[in-house]
Amino acid sequence: MFRVFTKVRMTMCIVAAMLVFSPVGRGVVFAQTALVSLTGTVLDPEGKAVANAAVVARHLITNASATAVTDDKGRFSIAALPPGRYAVDITANGFAIDTRNNVEVIAGKTATLNFTLAVGAINEQVDVSVTLPGAARMAPSQGSLEARSATSSISDQYVRDFTAPVSDFSQVIQMAPGTFSFSANGPGLSDTKTFFRGFKDGYYSMTFDGIPFNDTNDPTHHSHVFFPSQFVGGTVLQRSPGSAASIGPSTFGGSIELQSRHFDQNMHGSVTMSASSFNTKLYDFQFDSGAIGKSHLYVDAHDMSSDGFQMFNSQKRKGFSAKYLLAISPTTSLTAFSGVIRYKSNTPDTKGATRDQVAKFGRNYLLTNNPADPNYFGYNFYDVPTDFEYVGFRTDLGHGWVVDNKVYTLYYYNKQNFNSPTTISATSATDKLNSYRKYGNLLPLTQTSRFGVLRTGLWYEYAKTDRYQTPSDPRTWVNAALPNFHEKFNTTTIQPYIEYQFQLTSRLRVTPGYKMASYKQDFTQFADNGKTVGNLGGAPFIQHSVTYKSYQPSFDVHYLAQSNWSIYGQYATGSNIPPSKAFDTKNAATVVTPKPIEAKTWQAGTVFKHNRLTLDVDVYKTEFDNDYQSSTDAGGNTTFFAAGKSTSKGVEVESTFAVGGGLFVYGNATKGSSRYQDTNQWIQNAPKDTETIGVTYGDSHLSVGVFAKRIGTMYNDNGSAHEAFTIDPITMTNMFVNYTLKGSSLLGRSKLKFGVNNLFDVNATTGVNAFSSKSNVPNGGDILTVTSARSVSFAITFDLMKK
């Protein structure tokens, strides 16, 4: 299959390169004669004027742009435009972006365009200020004037200019308020986990273009094998369960909403070559067709390899993605996306070295190249192919009704082989599989009237899962007769929701909502060697099913105090169902079926935008159930239950200030606590505070960014006690310099990029996995997670534009 994928990728590259230089769709090059004007009106679905909409006209040849804002009657006018062909974008709070491509402005005539905007889905609503000049446009992360909860939108420019070439999503969002993540093997070179507000991976949902993705046995994520930065065009971090319309398997703590790459208005192709520390290499090809009639195509293919910072923890990734848009009519469009990844690594199951090994061999010690050692790299390897596809159909039904249906499928096949770190024997290794195929449909429906906006819809998903762990001989990979465990299960997820945004006044909106989350799991668990379910009395397998349901109300108030200042308050609820291990018990007998754990969040905040300043402030409090624990009686009967209540609360601030002359200063700070209610002890990986400071500079050719993130004191558990280990404050600094060749030449957007991650080579321990749960005294057998060393990257992009 992968050979076929490679051939397809090569074919697409060749075809795309031919298209770049073909005359198809080529615009007419014209002399700069008399200047002309572009005028028009912007209306909502009911024909009412949309005020304060941003209008951006971009010249399809020179890429120069001019902007305007609609008045109270929805009118706009852009004067002094050179004649030629333009793309015109209309952006308004609460509406989806509307774009007209190939608008011809003829010398001596005034061009007139009239727009009727469609109401945007929750994940499509954008902030007008982002499209306009000033601090809001250049902020690497910021809230939205439309925000109904604490959110941070990370721009596509930040992803492209201020992250390492091989980054995954964790590097994209790590500078956001209260958020942190570490990659022990180097940026983008390991399966990292992100934390915010005391919530771990699995306590929040992740989506791509609004579609959730997660493991089926526990709602954790592996986005580095689904969506590397080459696939990502921006990200919204929602630090709350969100409203009823926020769907996902675990909106318990929030959502990380990844967005696909945006289309360019010009046809162009680019080739990027980068070299980084740890013998890291990346080759990337991108092609954007520009607007060809009513269609648009974007393609990316890349190949990455690295030795990694950790000894013999090599990584290889091959990826391909394609996005296609067809404007069937002025009110109907079709969007298709496909992403395919083939990922291989030598990461062991422990993912870290012991205290004694780090002290003796250095912080990068992990594996050896000696087959006589239990931690030989040849005894530890992953092979993870994935794919993710969807087809979206959006249409305006009239009378304010808009439907935006997405049908999707995704596949994850994690084949892992690993050995015990201490012994070599006929059963010391493990042959492990975690795989699933999902099919789903996401159907949001909106209707706008003079009373407000109705949002309703349904998320449906069906997943088939196969998981096993079998003892094996690492020298031959001959498996034992019986596995440690083997299970197959199907999961059916249904989430209907409804909310209504009442427009009480022109500035005040109130939105109550309600969502039902239902999960049905049908298990087939096979007899094993006694580690999990046992011999089942001689039966080959046992079957059973379980259904979880939770009901999640939400309520929020949004007040637009001024056109550039909004205030919000929200109450939101979320839930998380038990992991499948709740039935990994003797004879698959769980005495009491555990209930979903729940979270309740109260928060309020404000968002302010100015040409020189953006400022977002929020306060929050979340009360939630802790992770599941179990107890087994003398008869071998097991009961799972939530391990008590916790409270997370604090204040978050985020701001960008335009100093002038292309210089901007960004900062955020979080002060909070996440504690167990019964003991008042801290939840692990919940820092007492975080701070970020960033300085960026940009002109027509040069952009420079330096970002420093400080993570305050936090704690790790030892398996039986909280606050067993103290993790001292850590400050990590990254720097990036980009130089772009802008002009009228064929290579007019080619770029040179230089970056340094961990600029000051900070050597710190970021996590401790205790050797024993009976003591919090540091032990030589504790598994440590440490920061990777300074990483330097160079990249050159040859961007070939059609003229």
Side-chain angles (χ1 to χ4, degrees), residues 104 368 477 505 668 711 775 779 796:
E104 188 172 9
T368 76
W477 292 111
T505 72
N668 68 53
I711 299 98
S775 173
N779 185 290
I796 181 169

Side-chain angles (χ1 to χ4, degrees), residues 467-506:
R467 303 176 68 235
Y468 63 73
Q469 292 188 24
T470 306
S472 187
D473 188 330
R475 297 160 295 191
T476 61
W477 292 111
V478 174
N479 289 352
L482 290 174
N484 288 335
F485 86 94
H486 183 197
E487 65 183 11
K488 295 182 178 181
F489 60 92
N490 303 329
T491 305
T492 303
T493 302
I494 301 175
Q495 283 190 14
Y497 65 87
I498 185 170
E499 66 179 36
Y500 199 90
Q501 178 180 295
F502 291 96
Q503 193 77 41
L504 300 184
T505 72
S506 61

Side-chain angles (χ1 to χ4, degrees), residues 341-613:
I341 292 287
R342 181 69 177 268
Y343 178 84
K344 293 184 177 183
S345 79
N346 286 105
T347 309
D349 198 53
T350 60
K351 297 181 174 60
T354 66
R355 288 186 190 272
D356 286 346
Q357 290 171 334
V358 171
K360 183 176 180 180
F361 301 110
R363 67 196 256 212
N364 69 328
Y365 184 80
L366 186 67
L367 300 171
T368 76
N369 61 350
N370 184 355
D373 295 331
N375 61 333
Y376 169 54
F377 77 89
Y379 302 152
N380 298 272
F381 48 91
Y382 281 85
D383 188 356
V384 191
T386 67
D387 66 73
F388 182 99
E389 291 84 24
Y390 75 79
V391 176
F393 180 79
R394 180 190 182 94
T395 186
D396 186 337
L397 302 174
H399 303 288
W401 289 93
V402 176
V403 63
D404 188 4
N405 190 70
K406 287 189 175 79
V407 180
Y408 68 91
T409 182
L410 61 99
Y411 176 67
Y412 178 79
Y413 190 90
N414 182 350
K415 187 66 171 61
Q416 180 186 3
N417 295 71
F418 62 91
N419 188 48
S420 162
T422 58
T423 60
I424 300 177
S425 71
T427 57
S428 64
T430 300
D431 180 0
K432 177 180 178 181
L433 175 69
N434 180 18
S435 68
Y436 48 83
R437 166 65 75 179
K438 295 186 177 186
Y439 305 90
N441 190 81
L442 183 62
L443 177 61
L445 183 67
T446 62
Q447 195 269 336
T448 303
S449 70
R450 61 188 179 88
F451 302 107
V453 180
L454 168 69
R455 297 185 183 93
T456 186
L458 175 69
W459 172 44
Y460 171 84
E461 183 178 272
Y462 179 74
K464 298 174 67 68
T465 302
D466 187 8
R467 303 176 68 235
Y468 63 73
Q469 292 188 24
T470 306
S472 187
D473 188 330
R475 297 160 295 191
T476 61
W477 292 111
V478 174
N479 289 352
L482 290 174
N484 288 335
F485 86 94
H486 183 197
E487 65 183 11
K488 295 182 178 181
F489 60 92
N490 303 329
T491 305
T492 303
T493 302
I494 301 175
Q495 283 190 14
Y497 65 87
I498 185 170
E499 66 179 36
Y500 199 90
Q501 178 180 295
F502 291 96
Q503 193 77 41
L504 300 184
T505 72
S506 61
R507 296 181 177 272
L508 179 63
R509 300 183 312 216
V510 176
T511 309
Y514 198 77
K515 174 172 60 182
M516 190 272 284
S518 173
Y519 308 88
K520 184 177 184 294
Q521 294 181 318
D522 298 292
F523 288 90
T524 299
Q525 293 184 285
F526 297 89
D528 58 41
N529 58 16
K531 187 171 183 179
T532 304
V533 300
N535 63 16
L536 299 178
F541 57 82
I542 186 172
Q543 293 180 313
H544 53 94
S545 64
V546 62
T547 299
Y548 304 101
K549 288 186 179 181
S550 62
Y551 303 91
Q552 301 169 27
S554 67
F555 182 83
D556 61 73
V557 179
H558 181 277
Y559 180 65
L560 189 65
Q562 296 179 7
S563 60
N564 63 341
W565 176 31
S566 65
I567 303 169
Y568 62 83
Q570 183 195 54
Y571 167 74
T573 57
S575 68
N576 205 359
I577 69 171
S580 62
K581 70 178 181 180
F583 295 95
D584 293 344
T585 59
K586 183 180 178 180
N587 296 321
T590 299
V591 178
V592 178
T593 300
K595 296 180 179 180
I597 57 177
E598 297 181 341
K600 299 177 180 179
T601 297
W602 298 263
Q603 59 185 348
T606 184
V607 178
F608 176 78
K609 307 285 187 182
H610 186 268
N611 192 48
R612 299 288 297 275
L613 176 72

Side-chain angles (χ1 to χ4, degrees), residues 111-145:
T112 301
L113 296 175
N114 296 317
F115 294 82
T116 299
L117 302 183
V119 176
I122 291 296
N123 63 329
E124 293 179 317
Q125 292 185 10
V126 293
D127 189 353
V128 171
S129 56
V130 176
T131 69
L132 298 178
R137 186 176 184 182
M138 299 304 297
S141 174
Q142 61 181 313
S144 166
L145 288 169

